[in-house]
């Protein structure tokens, strides 16, 4: 059983930065592609970024490319998302997830999900 726990969300002004983290339980973390998603009220869950097991490959959504950076620490079973130049439209609940199979950008490829952490960007 895999458990994912996000943390680090909060309130930040537009233009600011925030780093959210995802602590994972279980031995499989270092062998799995991990991803970050977000969901704003009334909208579908949106892919943001994903990273391969040894961090050799990353994928980003066009909406966050150049502003958000995904990384991982396999020794600490932790996934990170550094978010820079935040905009009010980045306001959402942010989720981490573990890929079970399929394309890294597809929500349906992920099985285990965290409970989410709220990020609010004020204008």
């Amino acid at each position: 059983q895999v458990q994912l726990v996000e943390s680090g969300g909060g309130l930040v002004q537009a233009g600011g930065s925030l780093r959210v983290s995802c602590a994972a339980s279980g031995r499989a973390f270092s062998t799995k592609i991990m991803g970050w998603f977000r969901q704003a009220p009334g909208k579908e869950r949106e892919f943001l970024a994903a990273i391969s097991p040894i961090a050799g490959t990353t994928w980003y959504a066009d909406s966050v490319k150049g502003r958000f950076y995904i990384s991982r620490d396999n020794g600490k079973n932790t996934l990170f998302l550094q978010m820079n130049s935040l905009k009010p439209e980045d306001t959402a609940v942010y989720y981490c997830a573990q890929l079970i199979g399929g394309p890294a950008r597809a929500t349906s490829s992920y099985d285990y999900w965290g409970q989410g952490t709220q990020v609010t960007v004020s204008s």
Side-chain angles (χ1 to χ4, degrees), residues 25-78:
S25 66
R27 298 178 181 177
F29 176 83
S30 63
T31 66
K32 300 293 187 180
I33 290 174
M34 298 294 296
W36 283 102
F37 294 76
R38 69 185 177 191
Q39 189 166 17
K43 295 188 177 182
E44 293 187 353
R45 194 163 294 189
E46 173 191 13
F47 167 80
L48 298 176
I51 188 168
S52 63
I54 57 171
T57 301
T58 55
W59 300 263
Y60 290 96
D62 289 343
S63 59
V64 303
K65 193 177 296 182
R67 297 191 301 125
F68 290 11
Y69 298 94
I70 189 170
S71 61
R72 64 193 299 163
D73 184 338
N74 287 338
K76 296 182 178 179
N77 274 19
T78 305

Side-chain angles (χ1 to χ4, degrees), residues 1-7 21-30 32-37 45 72 76-80 94-100 109-117:
Q1 186 73 9
V2 175
Q3 288 190 326
L4 304 173
V5 179
E6 300 93 339
S7 62
S21 303
C22 170
S25 66
R27 298 178 181 177
F29 176 83
S30 63
K32 300 293 187 180
I33 290 174
M34 298 294 296
W36 283 102
F37 294 76
R45 194 163 294 189
R72 64 193 299 163
K76 296 182 178 179
N77 274 19
T78 305
L79 180 73
F80 303 100
Y94 283 68
Y95 299 90
C96 64
Q98 186 177 94
L99 188 140
I100 191 170
S109 298
Y110 293 79
D111 189 357
Y112 296 104
W113 294 84
Q115 84 290 346
T117 186

